Amino acid sequence: MMLAAEELSFGYRGRPVGTGLSLALRPGEVVALLGPNGGGKTTLLKTLIGLLPPIAGGITLDGTAIERLAPRERARAIGYVPQAHGGSFAFSVLDAVLMGRTAHQGLFAAPSRRDRAAAGAALDRLGLGALAARPVTEISGGERQLAMIARALAQEPRLVVLDEPTASLDFGNQGRVMAEIRALGAAGLGVLFTTHDPNQARRFADRAVLIRAGREVGAGPVDRVLTRASLEALYGAPVEIVGGGASEPTAFLPGTPAPSRS
Ligand SMILES: Nc1ncnc2c1ncn2[C@@H]1O[C@H](COP(=O)(O)OP(=O)(O)OP(=O)(O)O)[C@@H](O)[C@H]1O
């Protein structure tokens, strides 16, 4: 399944955020979307999945205009993990994940055995099995974020769109979630995620799209697009590059180094 946007203008009523943006997400491909705060990443994601109407331009899923698909068809095709937020109702973790199955169920139908199996598998995959019965209001922010990812996976979508999926996660869980995202790509899903960490994009994504003030300023394979110069231009701030020897990994560091402390 392919998601494509052509010459998209997007934004809110009376407040355009971005223009002239074209982007394609193909099966088996992991794409990272990077850019400064307020640059339009979340607005673009919401537009791509049909939560916000485009101001101009078109979005298609396998060639069909997205607005011609019923919300249920869209929900089956694309899993969406919004940016982490605090307040929610005291559903159990399992029930929250089961809600990802809504697009597969009949109206008001109780979850089927298949729904429960998909939810259980998604919980186990993210290491949340032991938390299944806990209210989502009584788990940590990071655990809630993992539960939201499990909910999107329980949906068994063909494409997954994630807004800062590792924002509140500890170092170990960042690695676990990114490995999971990589695995989704390897399993043939198209994955689009936003991140503020170019190292994460470089390590786990195939392609990167850079947006600034709602306009694309770079797109292509991560090794080509993510350079010191492109990141300094993207964020308008100095970036240092470390490593990069023959067998050494390269990493980007924000800012300039502190003066020697010795
Ligand atoms: N509901 C809204 N109504 C009107 N304007 C909004 C709304 N939400 C966000 N904006 C504005 O749209 C612009 C883009 O915001 P958006 O959240 O898409 O940026 P972002 O790149 O995701 O930022 P961040 O990295 O800080 O999450 C900003 O100027 C923001 O103030």
Side-chain angles (χ1 to χ4, degrees), residues 3 11 31 54 60 71 74-75 86 103 108 137 139 179-180 183 203 207 257 259:
L3 178 71
V31 179
T60 55
R74 253 184 264 160
F108 307 123
T137 45
I139 58 177
E180 210 48 67
R203 197 166 159 86
R207 282 198 299 124

Side-chain angles (χ1 to χ4, degrees), residues 138-182:
E138 293 173 25
I139 58 177
S140 78
E143 289 164 344
R144 205 152 41 231
Q145 180 69 353
L146 291 170
M148 290 304 101
I149 295 170
R151 175 162 81 173
L153 296 188
Q155 192 177 327
E156 298 178 324
R158 312 271 296 282
L159 303 169
V160 188
V161 171
L162 308 99
D163 203 350
E164 295 190 37
T166 61
S168 54
L169 299 181
D170 70 40
F171 219 56
N173 278 336
Q174 284 178 34
R176 190 184 317 146
V177 163
M178 290 315 300
E180 210 48 67
I181 286 176
R182 208 35 283 167

Side-chain angles (χ1 to χ4, degrees), residues 12 15 17 36-43 83 164 196:
Y12 304 89
R15 185 183 170 80
V17 169
N37 288 131
K41 299 179 296 298
T42 298
T43 310
Q83 243 171 55
E164 295 190 37
H196 285 302

Side-chain angles (χ1 to χ4, degrees), residues 17 46 54 102 108 110 126 167 225 235 239 246:
V17 169
K46 287 184 174 168
T102 312
F108 307 123
L126 289 156
V225 170
Y235 296 108
V239 169

